[in-house]
Amino acid sequence: MILKSEAYKHTVDSVNTFLESYFATQIEAAKKVDASYERLWQTMRTVTKSGGKRMRPYLTTLAYQLSPDNDKKRILPVAVAHELLHTAVLMHDDIIDHDLVRHGTKNISGLYNDLYRTYDGEESLHYANSAAILSGDLLISAAYTLIVNSEFEIENKLDAL
């Protein structure tokens, strides 16, 4: 089974390490802007790490191994971009579906709904969903940035984008 293979486990470990480093950098930069922006990035990290099989990055790296240039470190940012894009879509999907939980834990809307519980019921959820929309948008932008900053030639980057 794929999920038990050493190649899969190695890829997931690499993706999780990259994600942790990426979020640490973003949180540090956000701290210089505002405490609420820092909290948003911390929450995005928590939600991104809360579940998922990392199948998309694994399939990205697996497909890349078929190319003549199959340096796994080179493809890693693109594979992580795929994961961030997927996570962003899920954040937006949860708003559409009125979900406050994903993978058995609170999603962005759920966490921010708790944070804003002092507001009137609908106001709390409105602000929470606004945070989730912004989070998804930030992760979409992050995915594009990772691809643009990857070590591939411009033609490959444009194809990936």
Side-chain angles (χ1 to χ4, degrees):
M1 176 182 228
I2 283 179
L3 299 180
K4 293 185 179 182
S5 75
E6 284 303 313
Y8 173 77
K9 289 176 187 175
H10 177 47
T11 299
V12 169
D13 289 346
S14 297
V15 167
N16 286 335
T17 299
F18 190 103
L19 281 169
E20 185 55 41
S21 174
Y22 179 78
F23 277 112
T25 300
Q26 296 308 309
I27 290 166
E28 208 44 50
K31 187 185 296 186
K32 296 174 185 172
V33 175
D34 189 80
S36 60
Y37 190 50
E38 176 188 6
R39 180 177 49 237
L40 184 64
W41 275 98
Q42 289 171 338
T43 305
M44 287 189 292
R45 175 182 59 190
T46 299
V47 168
T48 300
K49 291 175 59 180
S50 71
K53 296 180 287 293
R54 309 286 188 248
M55 189 58 69
R56 284 154 191 83
Y58 174 68
L59 293 174
T60 301
T61 58
L62 192 62
Y64 183 64
Q65 289 175 14
L66 299 173
S67 74
D69 173 24
N70 57 14
D71 178 5
K72 286 184 182 180
K73 288 185 181 182
R74 190 172 185 209
I75 194 64
L76 190 58
V78 177
V80 169
H82 202 167
E83 184 69 13
L84 292 180
L85 180 60
H86 175 67
T87 302
V89 169
L90 294 178
M91 288 175 177
H92 290 168
D93 179 68
D94 285 344
I95 297 165
I96 294 166
D97 294 341
H98 304 283
D99 290 331
L100 299 177
V101 173
R102 175 151 311 260
H103 302 300
T105 60
K106 291 183 181 182
N107 59 20
I108 297 282
S109 293
L111 292 167
Y112 271 84
N113 195 43
D114 289 348
L115 180 67
Y116 295 134
R117 69 178 167 257
T118 57
Y119 291 99
D120 214 5
E122 286 188 29
E123 284 288 305
S124 171
L125 188 56
H126 168 74
Y127 289 129
N129 285 336
S130 297
I133 290 169
L134 293 173
S135 295
D137 291 352
L138 284 167
L139 291 185
I140 290 169
S141 177
Y144 276 88
T145 301
L146 285 171
I147 292 169
V148 167
N149 292 333
S150 70
E151 296 178 7
F152 290 97
E153 291 71 29
I154 188 68
E155 298 83 16
N156 299 119
K157 292 178 187 183
L158 292 173
D159 286 344
L161 294 171

